[in-house]
Amino acid sequence: MQNYLELLNPAQREAVISTEGPSLVIAGAGSGKTRVLTYRIAHLLKNGVPPWNILALTFTNKAAREMKERIATVVGSKVAAHLWMGTFHSIFARILRIEAQHINFPKNFTIYDTADSKSLIKSILKEMKLAEKEYKPGDVLSRISSAKNDLVLPHTYARDQHRIMADKAARKPLIHDIYNRYMRACMKSGAMDFDDLLLNTNLLFRDHPEVLANYQEQFRYILVDEYQDTNVSQYLIIRKLADKYKNVCVVGDDAQSIYSFRGAKIENILNFRNDYPGYQLFKLEQNYRSTQTIVNAANSLIAKNKGQIPKKVFSNKSEGNPIKIMQAFSDVEEGFLVVNDLKNKLLEFSCQYEDFAILYRTNAQSRIFEDVLRKNNIPYKIYGGLSFYQRKEIKDLLAYFRMIINSNDSEALKRIINFPARGIGKTTLEKLEATAAHNGVSIWEVLVHPELSKLGFNAGTLKKLGGFVALIREFQAKSFNLDAFQLASEVVSQSGILKELHQDNTPESQSRIENIDELLNAIKDFSDSRKESGQENSITLFLEEVSLLTDQDNDKAEDKNKVTLMTIHSAKGLEFRNVYIVGMEEDLFPSGRVSESESGLEEERRLFYVAITRAEEHAVLSFAKRRFKYGDMTYVRASRFLGELDPSYIEMTGDTIQQNQATDNFGSANQRFGKSFEKQPAFTPKKFNFSESINKNPEKKPLFSENAFTNAFDIKIGMSVQHERFGIGEVTSLEGTGSNVKATVLFSNAGEKQLLLKFAKLKILN
């Protein structure tokens, strides 16, 4: 292998060879931080530092493994094998096992995962006679985790008025007691959860200075990756270990600090200079990933943040294409626009499917893009999450639909018989299953059999089982008179699913509520489309369509060659030739939950910066003027972030955007997108009123005034018309008479649709 120093640019080389004393390496997006960290360790080893004197901390096992493999190519695998390199949790678990006697834990202590922790909390709640509806185990665990990461022990928690008042406000005043019992139970069981690995390492070093001194002497050189993502607990461990020799090198980028919801503190990297006076600062500012245009646009955005370490990232790659902004008439049209653009790039730039990523702020947004990709036979994969229709809350709701259609579907029954919780336990279900198997019938047939009482169930259990049967039968009766959307809404409302999720005020539950809302939007779209075309729109047909959409049997493409769909948080550290950042709307991105505070807005801006800098060659931003929310089409505003990008790097093109609309004054989003909405023939560029999209209050209101709609008899072949979801198109044929007239319309973005005119509400454009 050639000399590793020859593989580095001047800034990288300086960061690698300056090994003594505290060092802060600010690594811009795509600037080769992993290479610097790797070769800095290799340089230490090549200059005689024993591998056991080096501690390298990462956030993923994959990163640690790849770095160790690279180091082995320089110094050999035998030397690299003795490095203390790994994730925070793996390294500190190793230390705790060695020093277990000091903290009253066995060396073979168990490490609880989230499921174990929740199960233990459930037992504690049962012991305390507390209802899980009031003390959701996930919420309780989240609060305990937050306390541990801030090094707040149970006895301290009980005196922390801020936490106590917050618990009372959330109607969970006994969290401190649960926390105390939880810690005692873990100790009794010889178990630690993930947060305990950090907490107990801090306690070990605090209470046993001789142990700390040993590790300070051993770890003479400390290196930390992604330092901006460290929490209070991790930060303090690093401070303690580095206190003797102060040969600590942290690598990161404050502009990519996006995990505050996990407890990460951006202050850790911003305040490094105060923690380590005399530190050396190295800035890796050359981006090797993206074009000049993408890098410059990202710089213009992140410059709006006040809390940052100044740097000027640059690229020596080609200038590249401008960042493209696409405005869609609706969220459905956004899906078509993005996929059509993707198909064009496949051909124009000789791309593979794996060269594309669609990034969104929330998981619920994936549904529309999944549907459009499948309808276009484009293979895709969900990164860091399940396919929309495979998510638990969606499968639970679909199971209700399956039971309504076919009550003998035992798998659907088992999924929902006790969801939401109705007191039908595992033992009861096992007895029902055994009886069904013995008699060769479905579980439902056992439930509705008049001799059910002979199975030995008590009156309370019989009442609960009877309640479940009555609920399903009620839904079945309603299914004869309700369309797909009406019935789905009834199930969501009457089953108690939504009520249960609303009671658990956690980010996870909020995400599940958003996903259920998105499923209702899909059913609403299905129902309206079928109604407009005069077709049956039952829940049976919707389930049939969904089952075809989620059938993976015909997907023969290799997993590596698929379009990637993921949240922006999941995309950090990855890169793609072409990146679509969708849903660029206020209250979606930036999120309405966090953008009210300056710090929250700055983190959302950093998240957008991360999204843009994932792109190597093309970055496309999209937003809709209207979006389905709770079954209704509502106005939404374009994201303020669009107005923060330097206009010289932006191109507003595409089927729904007039080119060259940008003005020299980009001081506000209104000034930037201020062109009027004019009537245009189909299939030509249209001018939209961007200021309406950005500045109007997103209140629910009709998309058109009543007098904007024309009588069905006014529609003629060849006319340009506008539809509230499908956008602008041309009428190509008419058939039928009276109230049953159907029009075939070729829409520029949604393709050909057949619409029943009495429902379609088309607006004539010419």
Side-chain angles (χ1 to χ4, degrees):
M1 172 180 180
Q2 70 181 109
N3 187 337
Y4 56 91
L5 294 179
E6 295 176 0
L7 302 174
L8 306 171
N9 66 33
Q12 292 172 332
R13 186 177 187 277
E14 195 63 28
V16 164
I17 64 176
S18 302
T19 58
E20 302 304 306
S23 300
L24 171 60
V25 181
I26 297 298
S31 62
K33 72 173 179 63
T34 303
R35 172 174 290 191
V36 167
L37 202 56
T38 300
Y39 289 143
R40 186 179 172 105
I41 295 170
H43 190 70
L44 287 168
L45 294 170
K46 290 286 283 187
N47 283 274
V49 176
W52 48 84
N53 286 155
I54 300 172
L55 172 64
L57 299 168
T58 67
F59 275 86
T60 66
N61 289 310
K62 179 182 177 183
R65 183 173 60 253
E66 290 178 351
M67 286 171 57
K68 187 172 287 189
E69 288 173 354
R70 287 196 201 180
I71 293 168
T73 64
V74 178
V75 299
S77 56
K78 289 185 178 180
V79 174
H82 291 286
L83 285 166
W84 279 66
M85 174 180 285
T87 64
F88 283 87
H89 292 91
S90 66
I91 292 294
F92 299 145
R94 181 178 174 185
I95 290 175
L96 289 173
R97 292 194 190 282
I98 294 172
E99 310 296 341
Q101 72 277 9
H102 294 293
I103 54 174
N104 298 319
F105 269 85
K107 289 183 180 294
N108 62 340
F109 61 79
T110 300
I111 299 176
Y112 277 172
D113 62 15
T114 301
D116 296 323
S117 296
K118 286 184 178 179
S119 179
L120 176 54
I121 288 172
K122 288 180 181 179
S123 299
I124 293 171
L125 294 175
K126 185 176 181 180
E127 174 189 320
M128 296 176 68
K129 296 181 172 56
L130 296 175
E132 283 189 27
K133 288 185 177 180
E134 297 175 11
Y135 287 85
K136 294 286 186 181
D139 193 15
V140 172
L141 184 60
S142 177
R143 290 169 182 268
I144 291 175
S145 175
S146 175
K148 288 183 178 180
N149 286 328
D150 289 340
L151 302 184
V152 176
L153 295 169
H155 65 278
T156 309
Y157 193 112
R159 298 195 302 268
D160 188 327
Q161 289 304 307
H162 176 75
R163 293 180 188 272
I164 295 298
M165 293 301 292
D167 290 344
K168 288 181 178 178
R171 298 182 180 179
K172 297 175 177 61
L174 298 178
I175 292 289
H176 67 283
D177 194 2
I178 299 171
Y179 182 16
N180 187 41
R181 293 172 186 244
Y182 176 81
M183 290 291 279
R184 290 208 311 261
C186 284
M187 177 70 75
K188 184 178 179 180
S189 300
M192 299 185 198
D193 62 24
F194 292 127
D195 298 315
D196 286 328
L197 298 176
L198 303 179
L199 174 63
N200 285 329
T201 301
N202 270 293
L203 295 177
L204 171 69
F205 291 160
R206 183 197 69 181
D207 299 337
H208 300 278
E210 73 285 0
V211 174
L212 173 60
N214 288 337
Y215 286 102
Q216 287 175 335
E217 182 64 31
Q218 178 177 341
F219 300 135
R220 300 189 178 195
Y221 295 89
I222 300 171
L223 303 97
V224 185
D225 192 17
E226 303 286 10
Y227 190 62
Q228 76 280 351
D229 294 335
T230 54
N231 60 28
V232 171
S233 190
Q234 292 162 330
Y235 163 81
L236 288 175
I237 294 172
I238 296 165
R239 283 290 308 274
K240 291 173 182 175
L241 288 173
D243 192 51
K244 182 173 184 179
Y245 289 100
K246 299 200 170 46
N247 293 322
V248 56
C249 174
V250 302
V251 182
D253 183 7
D254 55 290
Q256 298 186 66
S257 178
I258 59 174
Y259 295 120
S260 65
F261 66 95
R262 296 181 186 170
K265 301 290 185 182
I266 190 174
E267 295 81 8
N268 293 349
I269 195 166
L270 295 179
N271 295 332
F272 186 86
R273 60 183 179 181
N274 298 325
D275 294 333
Y276 300 93
Y279 80 110
Q280 297 183 84
L281 174 64
F282 304 96
K283 295 183 181 181
L284 308 182
E285 298 175 305
Q286 182 173 354
N287 181 303
Y288 290 92
R289 174 189 302 150
S290 308
T291 64
Q292 294 180 37
T293 295
I294 291 172
V295 169
N296 292 339
N299 286 344
S300 72
L301 171 80
I302 204 63
K304 306 296 189 299
N305 272 11
K306 296 178 181 177
Q308 62 176 300
I309 298 172
K311 62 180 177 297
K312 183 64 175 179
V313 180
F314 66 94
S315 172
N316 286 335
K317 295 184 72 174
S318 65
E319 181 179 352
N321 295 301
I323 290 179
K324 183 176 180 180
I325 297 180
M326 299 193 303
Q327 177 185 258
F329 189 76
S330 68
D331 49 356
V332 174
E333 186 187 51
E334 182 185 30
F336 282 102
L337 284 176
V338 166
V339 174
N340 284 341
D341 189 83
L342 185 154
K343 289 163 65 178
N344 290 336
K345 283 185 170 59
L346 273 170
L347 298 176
E348 184 178 356
F349 300 103
S350 301
C351 295
Q352 301 294 316
Y353 291 126
E354 63 188 331
D355 295 327
F356 295 88
I358 299 175
L359 309 182
Y360 35 77
R361 181 63 181 81
T362 67
N363 278 310
Q365 291 170 259
S366 75
R367 194 270 304 173
I368 287 174
F369 298 97
E370 289 188 63
D371 287 352
V372 179
L373 287 167
R374 287 194 173 277
K375 288 172 182 175
N376 282 274
N377 296 315
I378 296 176
Y380 70 89
K381 59 183 177 182
I382 303 289
Y383 187 98
L386 294 171
S387 168
F388 180 84
Y389 292 108
Q390 293 300 312
R391 292 167 186 158
K392 180 186 181 301
E393 59 276 9
I394 301 303
K395 290 178 71 68
D396 289 336
L397 198 47
L398 293 178
Y400 272 96
F401 301 159
R402 287 162 55 189
M403 281 295 295
I404 293 169
I405 296 166
N406 174 21
S407 52
N408 287 322
D409 186 338
S410 292
E411 289 303 311
L413 184 147
K414 287 191 291 183
R415 189 174 189 93
I416 63 171
I417 193 170
N418 199 42
F419 182 80
R422 47 178 63 92
I424 301 174
K426 181 180 178 181
T427 302
T428 299
L429 183 56
E430 288 175 347
K431 187 177 290 187
L432 289 170
E433 286 186 87
T435 303
H438 178 74
N439 291 280
V441 297
S442 68
I443 299 175
W444 178 262
E445 289 184 74
V446 176
L447 282 175
V448 298
H449 197 278
E451 301 300 316
L452 179 63
S453 58
K454 292 184 178 180
L455 293 178
F457 295 126
N458 59 37
T461 299
L462 289 173
K463 183 178 180 180
K464 293 167 186 173
L465 293 174
F468 174 72
V469 170
L471 180 66
I472 297 301
R473 282 178 166 167
E474 181 182 359
F475 289 148
Q476 288 174 331
K478 290 180 177 180
S479 68
F480 293 105
N481 302 312
L482 301 179
D483 65 27
F485 176 71
Q486 292 169 335
L487 183 61
S489 299
E490 191 76 11
V491 172
V492 170
S493 172
Q494 298 302 316
S495 67
I497 292 176
L498 212 54
K499 181 180 178 182
E500 178 162 296
L501 290 174
H502 274 297
Q503 289 176 342
D504 186 3
N505 189 26
T506 64
E508 292 81 4
S509 291
Q510 181 61 40
S511 178
R512 290 177 181 136
I513 291 169
E514 291 171 355
N515 288 336
I516 289 176
D517 176 29
E518 189 63 18
L519 178 62
L520 289 178
N521 290 341
I523 300 173
K524 174 71 170 176
D525 183 55
F526 167 85
S527 184
D528 287 351
S529 296
R530 303 283 294 192
K531 185 186 296 183
E532 289 170 358
S533 59
Q535 296 175 286
E536 181 185 354
N537 59 349
S538 66
I539 202 70
T540 302
L541 293 173
F542 175 77
L543 270 182
E544 180 180 311
E545 183 170 292
V546 168
S547 66
L548 293 173
L549 284 174
T550 58
D551 186 3
Q552 300 286 335
D553 293 341
N554 295 323
D555 187 1
K556 302 299 183 182
E558 294 184 12
D559 192 57
K560 68 177 183 178
N561 190 25
K562 295 182 179 181
V563 175
T564 300
L565 277 66
M566 67 175 81
T567 64
I568 302 170
H569 281 99
S570 299
K572 186 169 177 288
L574 302 177
E575 57 188 37
F576 302 88
R577 283 182 66 184
N578 311 285
V579 170
Y580 295 88
I581 307 167
V582 301
M584 292 298 303
E585 298 145 25
E586 286 295 302
D587 296 329
L588 185 55
F589 196 18
S591 169
R593 295 200 301 272
V594 298
S595 62
E596 295 177 359
S597 67
E598 183 176 349
S599 62
L601 182 60
E602 290 209 347
E603 177 151 335
E604 288 290 291
R605 190 176 287 115
R606 292 194 295 269
L607 188 60
F608 186 29
Y609 175 85
V610 166
I612 294 174
T613 55
R614 298 312 92 197
E616 298 174 357
E617 297 177 9
H618 300 99
V620 180
L621 317 178
S622 68
F623 69 98
K625 294 183 69 176
R626 286 95 171 163
R627 185 171 291 275
F628 266 114
K629 291 185 178 181
Y630 305 105
D632 291 323
M633 184 72 86
T634 61
Y635 278 85
V636 291
R637 295 171 294 163
S639 171
R640 72 191 73 183
F641 292 153
L642 296 179
E644 295 181 355
L645 294 168
D646 188 321
S648 59
Y649 307 118
I650 301 301
E651 178 184 24
M652 287 167 280
T653 62
D655 292 333
T656 58
I657 295 176
Q658 175 68 39
Q659 295 190 36
N660 303 320
Q661 290 183 0
T663 67
D664 291 333
N665 188 345
F666 273 60
S668 71
N670 177 32
Q671 292 167 322
R672 186 160 175 189
F673 298 118
K675 289 295 180 179
S676 61
F677 181 31
E678 301 174 357
K679 293 183 180 179
Q680 296 283 337
F683 315 121
T684 61
K686 275 74 71 176
K687 294 182 179 180
F688 282 83
N689 187 340
F690 278 48
S691 61
E692 173 190 272
S693 180
I694 293 170
N695 293 327
K696 282 192 175 181
N697 292 326
E699 300 172 352
K700 293 183 180 180
K701 54 185 176 180
L703 296 182
F704 304 106
S705 62
E706 286 300 318
N707 58 13
F709 299 114
T710 53
N711 189 290
F713 296 107
D714 296 332
I715 300 291
K716 308 295 181 185
I717 294 175
M719 280 185 170
S720 290
V721 294
Q722 185 170 347
H723 184 273
E724 63 179 12
R725 286 198 320 284
F726 303 136
I728 295 174
E730 179 180 338
V731 179
T732 59
S733 69
L734 294 168
E735 63 180 75
T737 59
S739 62
N740 293 318
V741 175
K742 295 181 181 179
T744 300
V745 183
L746 184 59
F747 292 99
S748 57
N749 299 310
E752 188 175 86
K753 302 287 183 182
Q754 191 176 62
L755 307 174
L756 193 64
L757 291 183
K758 66 180 180 180
F759 292 118
K761 295 184 178 181
L762 295 174
K763 180 181 179 183
I764 296 175
L765 297 182
N766 66 2

